[in-house]
């Protein structure tokens, strides 16, 4: 099972000192956080995408490419990549490039995203949010699997003879998770493709998302990708750890109570009623194990640890505690409880084996420049010459 | 039959609660006369005030509020009673309605009631409560109940209570609310795994023939 952290890259004044990080500081702090997560052996670092202050990560692939160069083994991911306001063609290109430079240490989570004004800023209609996410992913899926794509949909300009470059690393697309907290259509799409399904899980009552996770599991089985127990499920979580329980609560309380999202809420209610874990390593371990009891065996657990104006030193210490005291125990406990036949979330190496077995992966080599993608069977040398490109109907 | 009273009265004794209780009792009596067994439950909003405010802020109800919402969802009929404050319904009452699922009370028969310190607020029920329950697509009975201080000494209040209760009993016995929900449920907007008793909770409840579901399954077929 994979354990990691996810961040939205928010900035807020530290309630204990009044200090507000600059964007420059927050960005370099996020890099430090990712590096530390790699050093302590966490499996995943995921970053969100936002296009408004006080968030900094508007360009996740740039940030993740930099982190890829500075880390050794941690898997990089997103939480989430906006499938509604981004052009799926650009997502296909950007994340394929990132997958190459990260040497396959990449998957991504796609979702609708959140704030209302972002839609009109990018020329989209929020009322079409679900349809946008669904259609755009359908196109992305093809762009990563077909060298040449002819396509027409409702939202973006049609494509004729389009090749998304570079082709995915080893011609194996990054694994995709679909993130959703309320929309069965998104869970259905994840199930249809045999992709992963991620429930953010935090900011809602314990087990609130179970019906949607169960729905995804059932549909995953329906589409023949495996049994429902074998479906690929990820969950979010939020933790604040100190060696002594009361120290954790005391240190975390001002950050919780002053954060805009939680103003007027009670920390104690959040601790008992939601997946938020504040306490000793053992308390965080115990609470996280209840997620498995509720949702069944799952593949990925992400914690948010650097949000809510926590100073970077505190966030780094949280990662240290998570990586050294919590996750090692969780790995063992989760493994011992795991039902036989439940797969891990696929890595790039797993996907290569699934596609090629022992054979060498395909390495697409372009044909000499023809100035277009239309004259010839394929833009790549290894294509079947018998396959002809399909042209638009002459009118 | 299960009746649920929502009372936003906060004093004890509360005339808002009293109006609701008298209405509930009359409805029970009339149902009993027509051979229908019924019971009444009460949701007092005062003790839930903090929970309601927290739910507005956090976006989800705590356990006690969730339990109240579940009881309301399971009701066959509702008696909604609020005091009038500052020429409007109680903010507590409105806040409670604000945390309900949009589809929780679809086609559910409701008696609307309000109390006030002066008869000059008499239109608050029809001008504020009725549009609110129209938004919820509930079925308010034709007679609204309103009680100013002098009404507690007037037999006319009892007559109006009986009229509203009669309208409620006839609505319930006709089964029109249930028929509307049975026939038209899919035409309203819903949220997966919501609190409404008819909410979709698993794959077996979901209609996969919609445009969006077809798009989710690759956009083919």
């Amino acid at each position: 099972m994979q354990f990691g952290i996810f961040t939205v890259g928010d900035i807020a004044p530290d309630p204990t000192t009044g200090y507000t990080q600059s964007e420059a500081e927050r960005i370099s702090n996020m890099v430090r956080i990712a590096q530390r997560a790699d050093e302590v052996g966490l499996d995943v670092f995921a970053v969100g995408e936002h296009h408004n202050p006080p968030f900094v990560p508007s360009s996740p692939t740039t940030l993740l490419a930099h982190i890829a160069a500075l880390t050794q083994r941690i898997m990089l991911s997103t939480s989430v990549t906006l499938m509604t306001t981004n052009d799926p063609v650009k997502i296909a290109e950007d994340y394929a490039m990132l997958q190459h430079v990260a040497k396959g240490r990449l998957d991504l989570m796609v979702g609708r995203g959140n704030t209302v004004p972002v839609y009109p800023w990018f020329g989209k209609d929020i009322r079409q949010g679900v349809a946008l996410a669904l259609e755009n992913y359908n196109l992305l899926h093809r762009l990563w699997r077909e060298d040449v794509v002819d396509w027409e949909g409702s939202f973006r300009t049609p494509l004729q003879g389009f090749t998304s470059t570079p082709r995915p690393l080893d011609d194996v697309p990054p694994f995709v998770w679909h993130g959703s907290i309320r929309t069965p259509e998104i869970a259905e799409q994840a199930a249809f493709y045999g992709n992963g399904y991620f429930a953010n899980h935090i900011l809602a009552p314990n087990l609130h998302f179970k019906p949607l996770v169960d729905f995804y599991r059932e549909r995953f089985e329906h589409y023949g990708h495996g049994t429902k127990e074998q479906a690929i499920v990820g969950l979010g979580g939020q933790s604040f750890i100190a060696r002594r329980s009361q120290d954790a609560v005391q240190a975390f309380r001002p950050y919780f109570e002053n954060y805009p999202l939680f103003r007027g809420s009670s920390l104690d209610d959040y601790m008992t009623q939601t997946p938020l874990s504040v306490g000793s390593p053992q308390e965080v371990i115990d609470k996280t194990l209840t997620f498995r009891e509720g949702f069944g065996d799952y593949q990925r657990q992400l914690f948010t640890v650097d949000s809510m104006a926590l100073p970077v030193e505190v966030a780094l210490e949280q990662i240290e505690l998570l990586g050294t005291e919590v996750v090692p125990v969780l790995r063992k406990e989760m493994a011992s409880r795991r039902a036989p036949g439940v797969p891990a979330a696929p890595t790039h190496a797993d996907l290569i084996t699934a596609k090629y077995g022992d054979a060498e992966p395909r390495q697409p080599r372009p044909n000499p420049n023809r100035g277009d993608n239309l004259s010839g069977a394929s833009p790549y040398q290894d294509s079947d010459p018998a396959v002809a490109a399909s042209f638009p109907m002459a009118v | 039959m299960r009746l649920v009273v929502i009372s936003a009265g906060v004093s004890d004794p509360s005339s808002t609660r009293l109006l609701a209780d008298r209405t509930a009792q009359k409805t029970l009596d009339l149902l009993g006369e027509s051979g229908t067994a019924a019971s009444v439950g009460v949701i007092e909003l005062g003790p839930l005030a903090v929970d309601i405010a927290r739910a507005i802020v956090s976006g989800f109800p705590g356990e006690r509020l969730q339990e109240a919402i579940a009881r309301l969802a399971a009701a066959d009929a509702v008696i909604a009673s609020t005091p009038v404050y500052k020429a409007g319904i109680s903010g507590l009452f409105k806040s409670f309605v604000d945390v309900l699922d949009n589809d929780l009370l679809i086609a559910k028969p409701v008696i609307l009631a309000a109390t006030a310190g002066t008869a000059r607020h008499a239109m608050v029920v029809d001008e504020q409560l009725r549009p609110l329950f129209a938004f919820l697509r509930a079925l308010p009975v034709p007679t609204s109940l309103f009680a100013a201080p002098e009404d507690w000494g007037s037999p006319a209040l009892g007559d109006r209570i009986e009229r509203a209760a009669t309208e409620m009993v006839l609505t319930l016995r006709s089964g029109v609310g249930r028929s509307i929900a049975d026939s038209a449920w899919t035409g309203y907007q819903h949220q997966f795994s919501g609190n409404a008793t008819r909410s979709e909770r698993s794959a077996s409840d979901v209609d996969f023939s919609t445009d969006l579901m077809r798009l989710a399954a690759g956009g083919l077929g």
Side-chain angles (χ1 to χ4, degrees):
Chain A
M1 182 168 163
Q2 298 171 336
F3 295 90
I5 55 175
F6 65 144
T7 177
V8 290
D10 56 325
I11 298 177
D14 182 332
T16 64
T17 62
Y19 185 74
T20 301
Q21 295 178 50
S22 68
E23 290 181 336
E25 286 169 322
R26 184 69 168 112
I27 290 166
S28 60
N29 286 339
M30 286 171 75
V31 174
R32 289 174 66 193
I33 283 164
Q35 286 180 283
R36 184 62 60 88
D38 186 44
E39 287 158 13
V40 301
L42 294 181
D43 303 300
V44 184
F45 173 82
V47 66
E49 178 182 336
H50 288 276
H51 297 273
N52 45 347
F55 305 98
V56 294
S58 58
S59 179
T61 53
T62 316
L63 180 66
L64 290 176
H66 178 62
I67 290 169
L70 297 173
T71 52
Q72 302 303 319
R73 55 167 296 280
I74 197 165
M75 177 91 93
L76 306 174
S77 188
T78 56
S79 54
V80 299
T81 296
L82 304 181
M83 269 328 272
T84 43
T85 48
N86 284 309
D87 182 358
V89 169
K90 200 71 179 84
I91 291 178
E93 295 173 339
D94 285 346
Y95 283 90
M97 181 63 87
L98 177 57
Q99 186 198 24
H100 276 271
V101 300
K103 302 275 185 269
R105 283 191 287 127
L106 174 81
D107 58 26
L108 71 161
M109 193 199 306
V110 300
R112 268 197 288 166
N114 44 21
T115 41
V116 174
V118 174
Y119 284 84
W121 285 334
F122 285 82
K124 301 293 191 288
D125 179 355
I126 193 171
R127 291 165 301 179
Q128 297 290 332
V130 176
L132 275 163
L134 296 172
E135 180 177 299
N136 286 346
Y137 180 74
N138 286 339
L139 174 55
L140 174 64
H141 192 86
R142 286 188 58 198
L143 291 171
W144 276 344
R145 285 164 179 80
E146 300 169 34
D147 285 354
V148 182
V149 170
D150 295 342
W151 179 88
E152 190 175 355
S154 307
F155 298 113
R156 93 178 291 294
T157 193
L159 299 169
Q160 283 292 332
F162 180 75
T163 297
S164 174
T165 59
R167 304 306 300 146
L169 178 66
D170 302 311
D171 207 18
V172 172
F175 186 70
V176 170
W177 303 78
H178 298 255
S180 171
I181 55 168
R182 63 170 72 89
T183 316
E185 285 84 359
I186 300 292
E188 171 75 357
Q189 188 173 40
F192 173 77
Y193 287 112
N195 292 343
Y197 174 73
F198 189 94
N200 185 17
H201 197 211
I202 55 176
L203 310 179
N206 296 314
L207 295 180
H208 181 75
F209 299 108
K210 184 169 161 51
L212 212 45
V213 170
D214 287 345
F215 172 89
Y216 159 72
R217 288 185 183 281
E218 204 169 310
R219 299 299 289 172
F220 183 93
E221 181 168 300
H222 169 84
Y223 284 114
H225 300 297
T227 66
K228 54 182 186 286
E229 291 79 14
Q230 293 169 331
I232 308 295
V233 172
L235 296 176
Q238 184 174 16
S239 62
F240 190 89
I241 315 161
R243 293 201 198 285
R244 296 192 318 157
S245 179
Q246 59 270 42
D247 294 344
V249 175
Q250 200 187 348
F252 188 63
R253 189 180 293 281
Y255 292 96
F256 179 90
E257 288 178 348
N258 287 287
Y259 195 65
L261 195 60
F262 298 116
R263 268 183 226 151
S265 298
S266 139
L267 176 59
D268 307 285
D269 284 356
Y270 258 78
M271 285 168 56
T272 53
Q273 294 173 12
T274 81
L276 172 64
S277 304
V278 182
S280 65
Q282 190 58 48
E283 285 171 307
V284 175
I285 290 164
D286 291 342
K287 181 136 182 183
T288 309
L289 287 171
T290 66
F291 301 170
R292 185 201 153 274
E293 283 164 31
F295 290 94
D297 288 318
Y298 63 110
Q299 282 72 17
R300 174 173 287 185
Q301 173 67 52
L302 299 183
F303 293 97
T304 174
V305 295
D306 75 330
S307 179
M308 301 166 57
L310 289 174
V312 67
E313 293 74 23
V314 176
L316 292 172
E317 190 194 345
Q318 288 301 311
I319 291 165
E320 194 85 40
L321 287 164
L322 201 58
T324 56
E325 306 216 6
V326 172
V327 165
V329 180
L330 278 176
R331 278 192 214 288
K332 216 161 50 190
E333 296 292 328
M334 291 283 193
S336 71
R337 289 162 163 80
R338 205 171 189 79
V342 173
T347 62
H348 186 66
D350 297 333
L351 294 171
I352 286 181
T353 307
K355 181 165 180 179
Y356 300 104
D358 294 332
E360 280 297 306
R362 177 186 181 219
Q363 300 300 338
R365 297 168 207 279
N367 284 315
N369 188 3
R370 298 164 301 180
D372 63 62
N373 284 327
L374 301 175
S375 49
S378 159
Y380 294 98
Q381 294 174 12
D382 59 356
S383 64
D384 179 354
V387 177
S390 84
F391 289 89
M393 192 80 84
V395 284
Chain B
M1 287 284 174
R2 192 165 12 202
L3 272 59
V4 168
V5 165
I6 309 169
S7 172
V10 292
S11 50
D12 185 19
S14 149
S15 60
T16 300
R17 172 70 190 274
L18 180 62
L19 180 60
D21 282 351
R22 292 201 47 183
T23 309
Q25 187 58 53
K26 181 52 78 177
T27 309
L28 279 187
D29 292 347
L30 293 175
L31 279 170
E33 284 168 21
S34 68
T36 306
S39 62
V40 182
V42 178
I43 298 172
E44 281 276 3
L45 299 186
L48 291 170
V50 173
D51 307 67
I52 291 167
R54 287 238 157 93
I56 297 266
V57 176
S58 70
F60 62 87
E63 281 160 24
R64 290 192 326 155
L65 182 54
Q66 179 60 43
E67 187 260 342
I69 294 171
R71 283 203 289 143
L72 188 56
D76 295 296
V78 176
I79 295 164
S81 188
T82 177
V84 171
Y85 298 146
K86 316 294 180 203
I89 61 169
S90 150
L92 179 61
F93 185 90
K94 176 63 164 63
S95 294
F96 176 67
V97 172
D98 286 346
V99 301
L100 301 179
D101 304 46
N102 286 352
D103 60 358
L104 195 81
L105 297 180
I106 284 179
K108 211 156 271 197
V110 183
I111 294 176
L112 305 175
T115 58
T118 160
R120 286 190 286 274
H121 292 309
M123 288 309 289
V124 164
V125 197
D126 282 321
E127 291 188 342
Q128 295 189 17
L129 273 187
R130 197 168 283 276
L132 185 59
F133 281 82
F135 172 83
L136 294 170
R137 278 75 51 88
L139 279 183
V141 300
T143 296
S144 301
L145 297 175
F146 175 81
E150 61 269 29
D151 288 306
W152 296 105
S154 153
L157 177 61
D159 294 344
R160 287 200 299 278
I161 287 172
E162 177 158 5
R163 211 167 73 206
T166 303
E167 291 162 0
M168 169 64 88
V169 169
L170 290 171
T171 308
L172 280 171
R173 286 179 49 205
S174 76
V176 64
R178 194 167 294 274
S179 304
I180 290 172
D182 282 342
S183 314
W185 184 256
T186 55
Y188 305 96
Q189 277 192 341
H190 305 290
Q191 186 173 326
F192 184 77
S193 192
N195 289 305
T197 49
R198 293 163 191 260
S199 183
E200 296 173 337
R201 287 193 172 75
S202 71
S204 56
D205 301 331
V206 172
D207 177 6
F208 290 99
S209 68
T210 63
D211 289 348
L212 280 179
M213 275 298 179
R214 282 203 297 270
L215 193 57
L220 312 164

